[in-house]
């Protein structure tokens, strides 16, 4: 497992009973997590100091219960990057901290390339990967179907002092955008893809990762440049092993391209237990 250990403004304090207690800057949140199947004693005093807790509804969805919430949104820092954090109605906060291990990997690849680098970020959400790549000197095309998420990413770019960097902000269906890029002859040296397990497109199209990811990766591989640096594929789908995604990259991106393919779980350290909480998985083709 690759563990995001370089955070200062974020940490998982403890986990138990299907919940995790997290510190986001100076705010403590409790959120459900299906990976937490143990029911260890909640002896840590911070459990009783949470500013808000997310409760799932038996009918689906859920809501936040606030206790001592000083503000609705705030910023946290990862190195030279800054991100707006704000609890949403879907239990998320606008940031997946475990992805920092991939931000670091991409930054290193870009900085060592010694040449101009173009990166395509699909299902780009609030822009963690976009900002990391832009900070490393790449020009980035940021694509997400949600206008609200793209606007949030632009806020993060401004917070990080990267608003003047060469970033294209695109609100579009990722598959349709890639199809147009193929027709236009656009090429990218790095691609990062963070698709949801399940969702609906702007026209009501149903997206199910297991059914559609192979075709999308194969399609997207056609916009790689002649000398690409990386293709990074994330998954949060329970029951889809990292090794399956590694195989998928091997028979698409890796076909006919010399390079190395690897995969692993990614996770975050838990302060109280000393263990790491799995938070999804990543497969990477790299030069």
């Amino acid at each position: 497992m690759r563990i995001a250990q370089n955070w200062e403004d974020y940490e998982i304090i403890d986990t138990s009973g299907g919940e995790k207690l997290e510190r986001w800057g100076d705010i403590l949140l409790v959120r459900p997590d299906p990976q937490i199947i143990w029911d260890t004693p909640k002896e840590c005093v911070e459990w009783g100091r949470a500013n808000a807790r997310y409760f799932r509804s038996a009918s689906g969805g859920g809501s936040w219960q606030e206790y001592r919430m000083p503000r609705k949104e705030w910023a946290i820092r990862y190195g030279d990057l800054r991100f707006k954090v704000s609890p949403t109605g879907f239990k998320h906060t606008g940031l997946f901290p475990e992805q920092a291990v991939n931000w670091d990997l991409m930054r290193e690849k870009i900085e060592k390339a010694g040449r101009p680098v173009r990166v395509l970020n699909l299902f780009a959400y609030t822009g963690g990967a976009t900002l990391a790549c832009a900070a490393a000197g790449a020009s980035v095309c940021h694509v997400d179907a949600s206008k609200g998420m793209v606007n949030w990413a632009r806020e993060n770019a401004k917070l990080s002092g990267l608003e003047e960097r060469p970033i294209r902000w695109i609100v579009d269906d990722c598959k349709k955008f890639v199809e147009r890029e193929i027709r236009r002859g656009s090429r990218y040296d790095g691609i990062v893809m963070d698709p949801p397990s399940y969702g609906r497109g702007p026209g009501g199209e149903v997206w199910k990762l297991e059914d559609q990811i192979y075709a999308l990766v194969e399609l997207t591989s056609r916009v790689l440049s002649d000398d690409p640096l990386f293709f990074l594929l994330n998954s949060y789908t329970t029951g889809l092993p990292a090794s399956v995604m590694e195989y998928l990259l091997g028979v698409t991106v890796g076909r006919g391209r010399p390079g190395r393919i690897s995969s692993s779980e990614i996770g975050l350290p838990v302060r109280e237990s000393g263990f790491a909480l799995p938070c999804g998985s990543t497969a990477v083709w790299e030069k």
Side-chain angles (χ1 to χ4, degrees):
M1 183 187 297
R2 295 161 55 227
I3 302 173
Q5 304 185 80
N6 297 324
W7 281 97
E8 295 183 4
D9 282 0
Y10 171 86
E11 67 176 332
I12 298 180
I13 298 171
D14 199 9
T15 63
S16 181
E19 294 181 313
K20 56 188 174 184
L21 170 64
E22 306 165 289
R23 177 180 64 82
W24 298 81
D26 61 348
I27 304 292
L28 299 181
L29 301 179
V30 176
R31 296 192 294 161
D33 190 313
Q35 300 272 47
I36 302 169
I37 61 174
W38 45 91
D39 196 15
T40 50
K42 293 182 176 179
E43 298 174 338
C44 178
V45 295
E46 281 103 323
W47 283 104
R49 298 173 183 168
N51 298 101
R53 181 185 233 119
Y54 188 88
F55 289 95
R56 289 199 181 279
S57 168
S59 59
S63 61
W64 289 92
Q65 181 172 339
E66 298 181 0
Y67 305 113
R68 297 163 290 274
M69 198 69 174
R71 49 196 177 278
K72 298 292 185 181
E73 62 182 55
W74 62 100
I76 66 171
R77 182 186 298 274
Y78 182 77
D80 55 352
L81 305 178
R82 287 177 61 83
F83 302 96
K84 184 185 84 171
V85 174
S86 181
T88 71
F90 300 99
K91 89 166 183 175
H92 298 305
T93 61
L95 194 65
F96 292 95
E98 64 276 6
Q99 286 296 327
V101 294
N102 291 326
W103 306 340
D104 293 345
L105 182 152
M106 290 183 286
R107 286 189 74 154
E108 182 179 6
K109 287 284 184 187
I110 293 165
E111 289 167 354
K112 288 184 176 179
R115 59 180 170 90
V117 174
R118 298 185 71 218
V119 173
L120 174 62
N121 186 8
L122 298 175
F123 307 95
Y125 196 48
T126 59
T130 294
L131 301 192
C133 292
S139 59
V140 185
C141 183
H142 174 109
V143 186
D144 197 280
S146 168
K147 183 177 180 180
M149 291 300 105
V150 173
N151 288 339
W152 194 330
R154 296 185 76 141
E155 288 184 67
N156 286 337
K158 187 172 183 180
L159 282 171
S160 298
L162 299 171
E163 67 269 35
E164 301 301 322
R165 296 295 177 96
I167 303 173
R168 292 173 62 200
W169 304 103
I170 308 292
V171 179
D172 202 352
D173 175 85
C174 289
K175 180 176 180 288
K176 292 177 180 177
F177 178 79
V178 170
E179 289 171 338
R180 286 198 297 275
E181 289 292 85
I182 291 171
R183 293 195 293 269
R184 286 189 284 248
S186 298
R187 295 292 181 266
Y188 297 89
D189 306 297
I191 294 174
V192 53
M193 187 184 294
D194 201 352
S197 298
Y198 180 86
R200 291 188 179 272
E205 310 90 339
V206 175
W207 163 270
K208 190 175 180 183
L209 184 73
E210 302 95 310
D211 295 341
Q212 294 168 272
I213 190 61
Y214 169 77
L216 182 59
V217 170
E218 195 283 326
L219 181 75
T220 307
S221 69
R222 301 182 204 174
V223 298
L224 281 169
S225 68
D226 293 335
D227 187 21
L229 296 176
F230 59 83
F231 193 117
L232 192 148
L233 175 62
N234 288 306
S235 171
Y236 289 91
T237 302
T238 304
L240 185 64
S243 55
V244 170
M245 297 193 300
E246 180 177 339
Y247 192 104
L248 191 154
L249 287 187
V251 298
T252 53
V253 178
R255 184 181 298 162
R257 289 187 180 90
R260 184 174 75 95
I261 301 173
S262 61
S263 64
S264 65
E265 287 185 293
I266 57 175
L268 289 160
V270 178
R271 191 189 75 191
E272 289 299 298
S273 70
F275 298 116
L277 179 68
C279 301
S281 54
T282 300
V284 186
W285 174 91
E286 54 188 307
K287 180 180 175 183

